[in-house]
Amino acid sequence: MTATILLVDDHPIIRAGCRRLFGDAGLGRVVEAEDAGGALALWRSERPDIVVLDPDIPGPDGGMGVMRAMLAENAAARVLVFGGRGGGQGGGQGGGYGDPAVAAGALKAGAKGYVAKNSALDTLLSAVGRVLAGGIHLDHALARDLALMSLSPPPDPLAPLTLREREILGLLGRGLTAAAIADSLGISRKTVANACTQIKDKLGADGPRALVRIAIDAGLAG
């Protein structure tokens, strides 16, 4: 039985090129949408075997919102994200598949693969074929960078603080009052109060309780 491919992109030239590419390769029948509303309407009426989706289409939540809606209706939906630009030769990060953070977000949201728009034609054809066959398209370079991202330490939420501010935050987390902190560190209460204000501003905390919670979560209150 001939597969149905739902191609979602707001650029007519890209849709025309993909339609011809898929047709020449005999991958299946192509139906097209240019925005979120049209994509969901065709998804429900055509029940395509695969969706090739630009994440930047017009709509309240863009292509990712469309994909979430599809997966909510059918958890087995096959969506291949086709967007952005890869780094390319002399380009930015991510080699031929684009920003690894964007690709990781798409895969985490439920996509069966990610292909950048400046990838080789064979890459797109291979990805569509693999997803149609029930697999997942994961470029070797993408897999490598995603692995490196997972091994990278998480960003330090307390990075904006000075060493003294970290010290004061830790004492707050242990339940010390401003007076007790001043006595412990040999500084004035005014200095402690000013430091607490700076810490709240830097961390976006709305009060002393929030600072205590931040200190505990960061392991400073032990």
Side-chain angles (χ1 to χ4, degrees):
M1 185 172 64
T2 301
T4 297
I5 302 169
L6 172 55
L7 174 62
V8 186
D9 197 294
D10 59 329
H11 293 91
I13 293 177
I14 291 177
R15 293 201 308 273
C18 288
R19 182 173 64 248
R20 179 172 179 178
L21 181 68
F22 298 157
D24 289 348
L27 288 177
R29 181 175 69 98
V30 179
V31 293
E32 303 173 26
E34 63 181 1
D35 56 26
L40 287 174
L42 277 175
W43 158 257
R44 290 166 181 145
S45 64
E46 297 285 342
R47 291 300 176 187
D49 299 282
I50 183 174
V51 181
V52 179
L53 175 68
D54 180 354
D56 298 319
I57 58 169
D61 297 310
M64 292 300 95
V66 169
M67 183 171 71
R68 285 192 291 269
M70 292 174 177
L71 290 169
E73 293 185 20
N74 180 3
R78 297 169 181 171
V79 181
L80 176 66
V81 175
F82 181 50
R85 283 183 57 85
Q89 295 181 349
Q93 75 182 94
Y97 58 81
D99 186 342
V102 176
L107 293 168
K108 185 176 181 180
K112 300 300 184 184
Y114 182 99
V115 178
K117 286 187 176 178
N118 68 337
S119 298
L121 298 181
D122 285 347
T123 298
L124 178 57
L125 289 175
S126 176
V128 171
R130 185 171 293 116
V131 174
L132 278 172
I136 294 176
H137 172 75
L138 195 60
D139 182 277
H140 292 302
L142 171 59
R144 178 201 64 209
D145 280 4
L146 292 182
L148 290 174
M149 286 174 62
S150 69
L151 293 173
S152 299
D156 180 6
L158 305 183
L161 303 185
T162 65
L163 291 177
R164 173 64 85 185
E165 288 167 347
R166 283 174 180 258
E167 192 174 17
I168 290 172
L169 180 62
L171 294 173
L172 283 172
R174 295 173 194 167
L176 274 67
T177 64
I181 292 173
D183 291 342
S184 174
L185 299 179
I187 57 179
S188 70
R189 295 184 186 182
K190 183 177 181 180
T191 298
V192 174
N194 290 339
C196 288
T197 298
Q198 289 293 321
I199 294 169
K200 284 191 291 184
D201 290 343
K202 289 180 178 181
L203 301 183
D206 57 6
R209 289 185 179 180
L211 289 180
V212 171
R213 173 52 57 189
I214 290 171
I216 293 172
D217 290 345
L220 297 182

